Amino acid sequence: MSAKPTANPLESLVDIISTQTALLQSLYAKNSAEVPTLDAPLQFNALEFDPELTAVRTLIVAAATHLIATVQSPLQFTANSLGGLYDNVALGLVVDINVPEILKEAGDEGLHVDELASATGVSSSYLARVFRYLITRHIFREVSPDVFAHNRLSSLLTKTKTLKEIKEEPNARFDDAPIAASVYMGSTQILNSSTAMISFIKNPQQASAPFNIAYKTSKTMFEWMEEPGNELLARVFTAAMKMNANEPTETYTRGIEGDALKPNDVIVDVGGGPGSVTSAIQKAYPKLRYVVQDLDPQIAAAKRFWEENDPEAIRTGQVQLQVHDFFKTQPIEGAAVYFLCVVIHDWSDEDSRKILTNLRSAAGAHSKLILFEMVTEHIIKDSATTPYPLQPNFANGFMTILDLAMLSFYNGKERTREEYGKLGRECGWELKEVKSGPGKLSALIFTPV
Ligand SMILES: C[S@@+](CC[C@H](N)C(=O)[O-])C[C@H]1O[C@@H](n2cnc3c(N)ncnc32)[C@H](O)[C@@H]1O
């Protein structure tokens, strides 16, 4: 698969880019389509998620990133990295003041910054500077001097609600818009908590997590979001979690293996949020029964979610929504499967042990525990598995962003396979199998020891 490590790294990188770009074009051509341009707004279609195309894109991006890191002046590279926090600030501002929705209504011709200023209530001179920052990073485009319009990347920030709906209920503006919600979180809780990270890492005894230092609270972020005044952030968090619904359903169905279960076997979605993952699994395995558990506010959101998406499942009792704190005794005993989707990464080893031990106490001899999580790996170059000279994780930064975000919120962490195995063993669960999915999550399948 890969060239010898003695090969010239620059030539290898250029070779990966040119062969994979040709492949990308031919895959689009095979589907009677062209590679989308950066200038046109994003049109969601099946090709955006095609696994073969995704693999090709991953290689191109990994090689291009590697090429930049190799040829760019280290001084310039470092200077650019220093500005990373302004990505969060600039993107957070535009989603907060509904720029993507305003530009969507303006269409291809875009809108002059003065009109944007009067529509948003934000000074045109600040807006123009934020646009220039983003456009330099290929987000939005300047059609003519001070006239801004959407492009492929900026259009992804658009919420699902219209401007009229947003005006009527501003606190609901991020509902059903997981990407805009995640961006907004990036400019609020994530950015704020990160300011306390260095202090926390140097002295972790001072608080539970950087979040607690930054927000001057001893509550967990989940408890803090229940306080009056934090309603918008709580709602944004719930909306952002729907990103997990973008994970290919196959990740979940291959983990649960519902065909091997008996009708009416019970699947418990622990810390399930609105239950969007359960919804995907339930569509694949409609003969099983499901319980979605979470804290009070999330179950309230879950009720809205199921009312809108599948009221019948609640009415017939096939899906039950249950308020349950996973630090307390698990009320459903002997379920076929207890699963936690991107929950354990929120917690330190100590807290994770409490959660998993509670599940072990409720489990029967045939119960399974499944964690849907990203699994981290060491970044040692290995040309047997990765084309030379690429990194084994293909320089995919998202996992490392999430890892540090978990640290800043809850002193949580993304873990390696070995770390998950050890954590399970300490709570009476044996890690039997890790099924890596077609998306970013893997299914870690445990059975009782
Ligand atoms: C990262 S979200 C994942 C939500 C869901 N599993 C998904 O994939 O969309 C973590 C969830 O854990 C829930 N949670 C936090 N503390 C909890 C607790 N003590 N008991 C039960 N759920 C809790 C949060 O409310 C949140 O819904």
Side-chain angles (χ1 to χ4, degrees), residues 90-135:
L91 290 169
L93 176 75
V94 296
V95 298
D96 189 14
I97 61 175
N98 309 316
V99 166
E101 296 70 39
I102 297 168
L103 286 185
K104 184 180 177 195
E105 288 192 2
D108 233 21
E109 284 160 24
L111 213 56
H112 191 274
V113 72
D114 289 340
E115 290 173 87
L116 269 165
S118 72
T120 58
V122 169
S123 142
S124 56
S125 76
Y126 292 136
L127 270 180
R129 288 158 66 188
V130 169
F131 267 111
R132 233 158 268 140
Y133 178 93
L134 290 171
I135 292 170

Side-chain angles (χ1 to χ4, degrees), residues 220 222-223 225 237-238 240-245 252 269-277 293-295 297-298 324-328 339-343 345-347 355 372 406 410 441:
T220 65
F222 297 108
E223 294 162 342
M225 285 191 296
F237 183 88
T238 304
M241 287 311 110
K242 289 189 189 151
M243 280 277 257
N244 296 330
Y252 306 123
D269 182 355
V270 184
S276 38
V277 175
Q293 299 178 332
D294 210 301
L295 300 174
Q298 267 67 36
H324 168 62
D325 175 351
F326 48 47
F327 288 109
K328 305 218 168 105
F339 79 83
L340 300 100
C341 182
V342 293
V343 168
H345 79 159
D346 291 345
W347 300 96
I355 300 169
F372 293 108
M406 293 310 111
Y410 333 93
L441 300 181

Side-chain angles (χ1 to χ4, degrees), residues 25 37-39 132 140 147 149-150 171-172 216 221 265 282 285 291 306 330 360 386:
Q25 285 174 310
T37 69
L38 191 50
D39 279 351
R132 233 158 268 140
F140 296 104
V147 175
H150 267 308
N171 264 10
K216 299 187 176 56
M221 198 181 78
D265 270 355
Q282 173 239 6
Y285 303 125
V291 183
W306 287 88
Q330 169 59 239
R360 181 64 188 86
T386 322

Side-chain angles (χ1 to χ4, degrees), residues 357-435:
T357 303
N358 281 336
L359 294 176
R360 181 64 188 86
S361 305
H366 301 291
S367 299
K368 275 188 196 166
L369 165 73
I370 304 180
L371 306 182
F372 293 108
E373 295 282 356
M374 295 207 279
V375 179
T376 53
E377 49 190 48
H378 298 282
I379 313 173
I380 300 162
K381 284 183 192 165
D382 178 1
S383 57
T385 56
T386 322
Y388 174 78
L390 302 184
Q391 295 180 338
N393 62 2
F394 296 102
N396 176 357
F398 184 66
M399 170 114 65
T400 55
I401 293 173
L402 215 57
D403 183 36
L404 295 189
M406 293 310 111
L407 165 54
S408 66
F409 282 172
Y410 333 93
N411 194 17
K413 67 198 265 201
E414 302 301 336
R415 294 174 171 86
T416 61
R417 182 190 174 118
E418 291 69 35
E419 286 172 321
Y420 276 115
K422 179 167 177 284
L423 196 59
R425 260 193 316 282
E426 289 165 348
C427 311
W429 293 105
E430 188 63 37
L431 178 57
K432 287 288 179 194
E433 198 179 353
V434 179
K435 292 187 180 174

